C-alpha cells in the first residue's frame, strides 16, 4: 500500500454539490416514481440479476463523486488504492467521477432501471437517503456477504442496521459522516453545546441551515428532543413551525447548499449546520472553527456502495467493496477524504504512522468518533415515499424554493 506519511488538505468533494436546486428535483423526479407508486418502476427480486461475466472479464465500472478517493501526489489521474487492487486481483477499474448530485444521478439512471435495462455501471455510491429509494424500487442487487469477509468482520457496528436495508445486504458504506454544528468560537465568544444555542439573540442573522430536506431535518428534530430513529409526522411539522418562525424573525440568515463553507470561513456566518468532513479540512486553515455534536444528538449518515440491477461484473464489484474494508486500505482512504471511517479497525493503523500529522488523525473524533460522541449519534428514519411530497412541499415553502 501507499505510505500514510502525508496528509493532503483540500476542499471536500461536498463543496461541488448543488444546493438549492436539489430539493425541487426531489419533489419532481422522486415523487413521480416513489411518491405516486408507479407500478412499472418496481423491479421484482427475480428480475434484478444478469449474466455475470466477472470470471472472463477482469474489469468493472465504478461511478463515484468527485474528490472522494485517494490520488497520487505527483499524478492526480492515478489512484493508488485502485492501482493496488488491480495488482492484487488482476481486475482493472474504470473509475468515473460522474455523481455530482443524488437527484441528478437518479435522473440519469432511472430510465434504464425502471425499464429493466443495464445502466453500464457495476458499482455506484449514493447517499443513504437516496439508497433507500433504490432499495424500495428493487433497483439494486443483494450482495453475497459470504464472499465479503472483511465487510462482515470490520463494518462499523453502528452502521450495520439502517432501517431501509435490513442487514445492509444491498448497501455498504463507502464513507460516513456527521451532520452537526460548526461555529467560529473566537468570533462568537462563547461555546455552542446544544442546537438551541443557535437561536440565542447574539446569533440573529448569523446562522445558516441546509436547504435540502434530507440533509437538514434530523438535526433540527434532535434539537427538540425527538428520537429520530422513529420520528412522526407531528414531530416534523412541529419542527417546521419552529423554523418558520425563526425565518420570519430574520434569525436565520439563509438556507445553503455546500456554500456554507465559504460563509463560515469568511466570517459572514458565525454558526451553521455542517458536515464533519468539511470541518476537518476547514480546521487545517482556521483552528478557531469548531464542530459540535449537540448534547441532544446529531445525525450519523453514510454514502454507500451499491450494485445496480443487471450489472455485468457483480462478483468483481463485490471483491472491490471487500477490498476497501481491509483495514490497511480503509486507513489509506481515510487519510485522504477525512470523513468518518466506516472501518474502526483502521484507526490503529493510522495511529502507528511515523508521520505525526497522519497519526494525529487517529485521535480525531470526526474521523473515528469516541464512545461518548457515539452515544449522541443516531441514524434517522428515512422519509417514506408516502410522506415525501407533503413534507418536501412544507419544507420548500419555508426555505423559499
Amino acid at each position: 500500500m501507499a505510505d500514510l506519511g502525508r496528509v493532503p488538505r483540500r476542499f471536500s468533494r461536498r463543496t461541488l454539490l448543488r444546493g438549492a436546486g436539489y430539493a425541487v428535483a426531489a419533489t419532481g423526479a422522486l415523487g413521480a416514481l416513489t411518491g405516486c407508486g408507479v407500478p412499472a418502476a418496481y423491479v421484482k427480486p427475480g428480475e434484478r440479476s444478469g449474466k455475470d461475466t466477472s470470471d472472463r472479464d477482469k474489469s468493472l465500472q465504478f461511478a463515484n463523486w468527485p474528490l472522494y478517493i485517494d490520488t497520487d501526489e505527483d499524478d492526480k489521474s492515478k489512484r493508488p488504492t485502485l492501482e493496488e487492487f488491480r495488482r492484487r486481483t488482476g481486475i482493472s477499474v474504470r473509475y468515473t467521477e460522474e455523481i455530482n448530485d443524488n437527484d441528478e444521478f437518479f435522473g440519469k439512471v432511472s430510465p434504464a432501471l425502471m425499464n429493466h435495462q443495464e445502466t453500464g455501471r457495476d458499482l455506484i455510491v449514493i447517499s443513504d437517503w437516496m439508497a433507500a429509494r433504490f432499495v424500495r424500487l428493487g433497483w439494486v442487487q443483494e450482495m453475497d456477504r459470504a464472499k465479503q469477509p472483511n465487510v462482515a468482520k470490520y463494518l462499523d457496528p453502528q452502521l450495520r442496521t439502517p432501517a431501509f436495508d435490513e442487514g445492509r445486504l444491498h448497501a455498504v458504506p463507502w464513507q460516513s459522516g456527521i451532520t452537526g454544528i460548526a461555529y467560529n468560537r473566537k468570533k462568537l465568544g462563547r461555546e455552542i453545546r446544544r442546537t438551541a444555542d443557535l437561536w440565542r439573540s447574539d446569533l440573529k442573522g448569523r446562522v445558516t441551515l441546509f436547504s435540502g430536506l434530507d440533509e437538514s431535518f434530523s438535526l433540527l428534530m434532535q434539537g427538540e428532543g425527538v428520537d429520530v430513529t422513529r420520528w412522526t409526522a407531528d414531530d416534523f411539522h412541529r419542527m417546521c413551525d419552529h423554523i418558520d418562525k425563526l425565518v420570519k424573525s430574520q434569525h436565520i440568515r439563509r438556507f445553503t447548499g455546500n456554500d456554507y463553507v465559504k460563509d463560515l470561513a469568511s466570517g459572514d456566518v458565525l454558526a451553521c449546520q455542517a458536515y464533519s468532513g468539511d470541518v476537518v479540512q476547514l480546521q487545517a486553515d482556521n483552528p478557531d472553527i469548531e464542530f459540535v455534536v449537540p448534547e441532544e444528538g446529531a445525525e450519523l449518515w453514510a454514502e454507500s456502495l451499491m450494485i445496480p440491477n443487471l450489472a455485468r461484473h457483480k462478483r468483481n464489484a463485490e471483491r472491490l467493496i471487500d477490498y476497501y474494508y481491509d483495514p490497511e486500505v480503509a486507513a489509506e482512504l481515510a487519510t485522504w477524504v477525512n470523513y468518518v471511517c466506516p472501518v474502526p479497525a483502521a484507526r490503529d493503523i493510522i495511529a502507528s504512522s511515523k508521520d505525526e500529522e497522519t497519526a494525529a488523525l487517529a485521535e480525531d473524533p470526526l474521523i473515528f468518533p469516541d464512545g461518548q460522541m457515539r452515544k449522541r449519534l443516531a441514524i434517522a428514519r428515512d422519509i417514506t415515499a408516502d410522506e415525501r411530497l407533503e413534507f418536501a412541499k412544507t419544507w420548500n415553502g419555508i426555505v423559499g424554493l
Side-chain angles (χ1 to χ4, degrees), residues 241-260:
D241 287 344
H242 183 203
I243 299 303
D244 191 37
K245 291 177 182 177
L246 290 165
V247 170
K248 289 176 178 176
S249 68
Q250 299 183 323
H251 188 93
I252 295 172
R253 182 184 183 94
R254 69 187 184 103
F255 292 87
T256 73
N258 296 275
D259 47 340
Y260 79 89

Side-chain angles (χ1 to χ4, degrees), residues 60-65 68-69 82 93-99 120-125 174 305 320 324:
L60 70 99
Q61 182 75 36
F62 182 7
N64 204 348
W65 302 75
Y68 218 17
I69 199 169
L82 289 180
V93 181
R94 297 188 297 274
Y95 185 86
T96 57
E97 296 183 328
E98 65 167 313
I99 305 176
R121 302 159 183 87
D122 300 298
L123 197 58
I124 61 175
V125 177
W174 171 250
L305 297 147
L320 182 64
Y324 274 103

Side-chain angles (χ1 to χ4, degrees), residues 1-2 80-91:
M1 290 303 299
T81 56
L82 289 180
E83 291 291 323
E84 177 65 18
F85 177 72
R86 182 184 58 78
R87 284 192 290 269
R88 290 189 190 184
T89 66
I91 299 170

Side-chain angles (χ1 to χ4, degrees), residues 12-31:
S12 162
R13 63 98 189 149
R14 283 185 172 271
T15 62
L16 300 182
L17 306 188
R18 296 184 306 174
Y22 120 89
V24 176
T27 307
L30 284 175

Side-chain angles (χ1 to χ4, degrees), residues 15-318:
T15 62
L16 300 182
L17 306 188
R18 296 184 306 174
Y22 120 89
V24 176
T27 307
L30 284 175
L33 290 177
T34 62
C36 298
V38 178
Y42 179 75
V43 178
K44 298 177 182 179
E47 301 174 352
R48 298 173 190 173
S49 62
K51 186 176 181 180
D52 193 341
T53 62
S54 294
D55 287 342
R56 68 173 186 271
D57 184 359
K58 298 295 184 180
S59 69
L60 70 99
Q61 182 75 36
F62 182 7
N64 204 348
W65 302 75
L67 304 179
Y68 218 17
I69 199 169
D70 55 304
T71 58
D72 186 274
E73 289 280 351
D74 300 318
D75 185 349
K76 299 302 181 183
S77 68
K78 294 182 179 180
R79 301 172 176 91
T81 56
L82 289 180
E83 291 291 323
E84 177 65 18
F85 177 72
R86 182 184 58 78
R87 284 192 290 269
R88 290 189 190 184
T89 66
I91 299 170
S92 61
V93 181
R94 297 188 297 274
Y95 185 86
T96 57
E97 296 183 328
E98 65 167 313
I99 305 176
N100 294 294
D101 175 90
N102 283 290
D103 293 292
E104 180 182 68
F105 187 70
F106 180 96
K108 184 184 295 187
V109 299
S110 59
L113 289 167
M114 69 186 299
N115 286 295
H116 305 244
Q117 297 171 351
E118 297 177 22
T119 66
R121 302 159 183 87
D122 300 298
L123 197 58
I124 61 175
V125 177
I126 52 179
S127 301
D128 270 0
W129 64 265
M130 177 62 82
R133 309 293 173 286
F134 277 65
V135 172
R136 287 183 187 136
L137 288 165
W139 286 1
V140 289
Q141 299 183 61
E142 186 173 305
M143 299 180 201
D144 185 352
R145 201 65 81 228
K147 296 179 180 178
Q148 295 178 311
N150 287 334
V151 175
K153 182 176 181 179
Y154 294 116
L155 173 58
D156 187 337
Q158 203 163 7
L159 294 170
R160 287 179 182 267
T161 56
F164 74 89
D165 185 21
E166 185 175 356
R168 268 208 183 274
L169 296 177
H170 301 87
V172 175
W174 171 250
Q175 293 294 287
S176 183
I178 303 167
T179 299
I181 297 170
Y183 74 107
N184 189 315
R185 182 173 180 176
K186 183 176 181 180
K187 290 186 176 181
L188 181 58
R190 64 174 172 88
E191 287 186 320
I192 290 179
R193 295 183 178 181
R194 302 175 62 87
T195 303
D197 291 340
L198 293 174
W199 318 138
R200 288 170 54 175
S201 60
D202 60 346
L203 277 172
K204 183 174 182 178
R206 308 298 295 276
V207 176
T208 62
L209 302 177
F210 287 137
S211 59
L213 171 59
D214 294 274
E215 285 78 3
S216 56
F217 81 88
S218 180
L219 179 74
L220 300 174
M221 281 192 195
Q222 287 168 297
E224 298 191 358
V226 174
D227 178 355
V228 294
T229 65
R230 51 182 183 180
W231 57 271
T232 67
D234 287 342
D235 295 325
F236 176 82
H237 289 298
R238 185 165 55 250
M239 177 273 291
C240 285
D241 287 344
H242 183 203
I243 299 303
D244 191 37
K245 291 177 182 177
L246 290 165
V247 170
K248 289 176 178 176
S249 68
Q250 299 183 323
H251 188 93
I252 295 172
R253 182 184 183 94
R254 69 187 184 103
F255 292 87
T256 73
N258 296 275
D259 47 340
Y260 79 89
V261 173
K262 183 168 64 174
D263 289 344
L264 185 63
S266 69
D268 290 340
V269 164
L270 298 184
C272 58
Q273 269 189 314
Y275 300 120
S276 55
D278 290 341
V279 176
V280 171
Q281 296 177 47
L282 283 171
Q283 288 170 334
D285 297 318
N286 186 349
D288 293 325
I289 293 176
E290 297 195 11
F291 184 86
V292 177
V293 172
E295 292 177 0
E296 61 273 15
E299 181 185 16
L300 179 68
W301 47 262
E303 287 171 323
S304 291
L305 297 147
M306 308 183 86
I307 301 174
N309 288 355
L310 304 180
R312 292 192 176 188
H313 307 94
K314 180 176 184 288
R315 179 69 191 106
N316 290 346
E318 289 173 333

Side-chain angles (χ1 to χ4, degrees), residues 348-369:
D348 289 343
I349 294 169
I350 293 175
S352 67
S353 172
K354 295 179 181 179
D355 180 82
E356 291 184 4
E357 187 179 3
T358 300
L361 294 177
E363 304 304 320
D364 191 330
L366 301 188
I367 300 175
F368 296 99

